[in-house]
Structure formats: C-alpha cells, structure tokens
C-alpha cells in the first residue's frame, strides 16, 4: 500500500475541497505520517473521509476537519497551544509542527501513553502531555494563543475564554447531536470576543463537560 499516494489523494480530494489552502498547513499534513497514529487494524483507512474509532468510545476527526481546524487556529512559532483530548496524538503533532509548545490533556492514561510513543517516533518534542480532566480548560499554563477542543460541548465554559490570550483563537464544537457547530472564538480585547461559525458536524461529547443550567419556575 503506497501511503504517500493515498496521502496526496486525501489532500487533493478532501482537504483542498474544504477550503484548506494555507501552504503551511498542507505541508504539515504531508509531512506528519497520519498512518502511524491510527490503530493498526485501521491503517488501511488512514486517509479515508472517516471518523476513525480509537479506544474508550473515542474517535479521530476526519482528515479534512483536522486540517481545517489547524488552518483556523493560524499557529505561529511563538504560540503556546492547549489541546483538550489528546487521543492518538495526531492533532497535537500537527499543531506542534507550527507552534512553539502544545499542552495536550487526556483523561485516559493509556491513550496519553500511546500518544507519547507516536510523538516520539515522529521526533516531536514540543508537546507536553498531561493526564487529567480538561473539561474546563487547563489553567496551569494559561494564557494560550490557541485552544483546540476535540470533543463536543453542549455549552462552552467561560474558563476556556478566560484562558485565551488577547489575540488568541479557540475552536470548539458546540451543541448536542446531531445539531453541532464548529465555532472559532477570537479574543480581540481583554473583554471582547468575536465568534465565527465554521461548519456543522457531529463529534463525540467531551467527558465531564458541564451541562447547561435547567430553567426552574
């Protein structure tokens, strides 16, 4: 199986058609070997337009969604990034190639350990992995220039916005299935945020996510 041909086909037929045209993003998607981050049993589907199951009922985003979010975060070499939901480590690897440091939070120790192995094989050393509950962010290394939340949330906790640096961008999937929307929130000033709707999707809910308050008569 020629993974390089499959990778080029994925970029041309899935990623570019989703308006991902940033040459830096396309270069990173070409360089980071996605097939080495997917479960071995699914390696032949590494470049399919498919939410790849991993463990604990989790799944990887589709390749086009990974690339689109990477483009929306607009990462630079000096940026500090927060990722909630490490999974196999692939998204962290992509972000690490564009940013200065990535802090990635995963509440399953076995997934975090697996991701560490994947990142080591790829020679990526600017990702710091943490095991814990990131459903309200990770204040220890805030503020962040970019935040990527890989599980969906019914509502966005204010803590995430507070941990975003001025000028920083946050991408989150908000809503309850099947009506979920990917949002990009930019902190333009200390108390001012701008929100843009990127696309509709449906992804696995983030564990431990705060629920909307119930209306009481």
């Amino acid at each position: 199986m020629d993974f390089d041909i499959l990778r080029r086909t994925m970029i041309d037929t899935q990623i570019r058609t989703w308006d991902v045209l940033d040459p830096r993003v396309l270069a990173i998607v070409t360089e980071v070997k996605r097939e080495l981050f997917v479960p071995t049993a699914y390696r032949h589907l590494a470049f399919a337009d498919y939410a790849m199951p991993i463990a604990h009922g989790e799944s990887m985003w589709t390749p086009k969604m990974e690339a689109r979010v990477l483009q929306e975060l607009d990462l630079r070499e000096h940026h500090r990034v927060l990722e909630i939901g490490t999974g196999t480590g692939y998204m962290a690897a992509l972000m690490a190639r564009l940013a200065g440091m990535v802090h990635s939070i995963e509440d399953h120790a076995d997934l975090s350990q697996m991701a560490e192995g994947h990142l080591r094989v790829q020679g990526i050393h600017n990702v710091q992995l943490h095991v814990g509950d990131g459903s309200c962010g990770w204040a220890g290394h805030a503020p962040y220039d970019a935040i990527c939340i890989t599980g969906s949330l019914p509502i966005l906790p204010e803590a995430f916005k507070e941990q975003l640096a001025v000028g920083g961008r946050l991408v989150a999937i908000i809503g309850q299935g099947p009506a979920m929307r990917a949002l990009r929130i930019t902190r333009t000033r200390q108390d001012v945020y701008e929100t843009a709707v990127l696309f509709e999707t449906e992804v696995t809910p983030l564990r431990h996510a705060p629920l909307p308050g119930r209306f009481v008569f």
Side-chain angles (χ1 to χ4, degrees):
M1 184 172 292
D2 193 326
F3 288 118
D4 289 333
I5 290 177
L6 293 174
R7 192 181 343 271
R8 288 195 296 271
T9 300
M10 172 195 72
I11 291 171
D12 290 339
T13 63
Q14 297 177 45
I15 292 176
R16 288 182 183 274
T17 59
W18 247 42
D19 295 325
V20 179
L21 303 174
D22 185 332
R24 299 179 311 127
V25 171
L26 297 175
I28 295 307
V29 172
T30 301
E31 293 169 12
V32 178
K33 308 300 184 186
R34 193 176 197 269
E35 66 272 19
L36 300 182
F37 287 85
V38 305
T40 302
Y42 294 97
R43 193 157 289 175
H44 63 293
L45 296 173
F47 305 107
D49 185 11
Y50 173 58
M52 187 81 63
I54 45 176
H56 304 290
E58 302 299 312
S59 60
M60 296 174 69
W61 285 351
T62 61
K64 65 186 181 187
M65 187 166 159
E66 293 162 344
R68 175 68 183 276
V69 169
L70 189 64
Q71 178 173 267
E72 297 292 344
L73 291 172
D74 192 24
L75 301 177
R76 304 293 164 173
E77 292 180 357
H78 63 282
H79 283 172
R80 178 171 11 201
V81 181
L82 173 65
E83 178 189 37
I84 304 299
T86 309
T88 68
Y90 178 67
M91 193 67 189
L94 294 177
M95 295 189 293
R97 288 293 180 90
L98 293 174
M101 173 59 69
V102 177
H103 291 276
S104 186
I105 320 302
E106 174 57 57
D107 65 354
H108 287 294
D110 58 336
L111 282 179
S112 186
Q113 184 176 12
M114 177 178 61
E116 182 180 15
H118 292 159
L119 293 166
R120 191 184 310 119
V121 167
Q122 289 286 308
I124 296 171
H125 305 292
N126 59 328
V127 175
Q128 189 170 345
L129 300 175
H130 308 269
V131 177
D133 178 8
S135 59
C136 286
W138 197 260
H141 300 278
Y144 303 98
D145 301 288
I147 299 177
C148 176
I149 307 172
T150 63
S152 65
L153 293 160
I155 57 171
L156 181 69
E158 286 296 311
F160 281 109
K161 295 166 68 174
E162 294 166 359
Q163 292 171 25
L164 196 62
V166 173
R169 291 155 303 284
L170 178 156
V171 174
I173 314 299
I174 304 299
Q176 295 175 308
M180 298 180 183
R181 299 187 300 172
L183 305 181
R184 184 190 66 229
I185 298 171
T186 304
R187 189 173 195 172
T188 56
R189 294 198 296 275
Q190 188 64 29
D191 297 314
V192 180
Y193 299 86
E194 293 182 355
T195 301
V197 178
L198 303 177
F199 51 84
E200 294 185 353
T201 187
E202 184 175 7
V203 301
T204 304
L206 192 70
R207 285 182 296 277
H208 318 302
L211 297 175
R214 292 181 179 274
F215 180 81
V216 178
F217 288 98

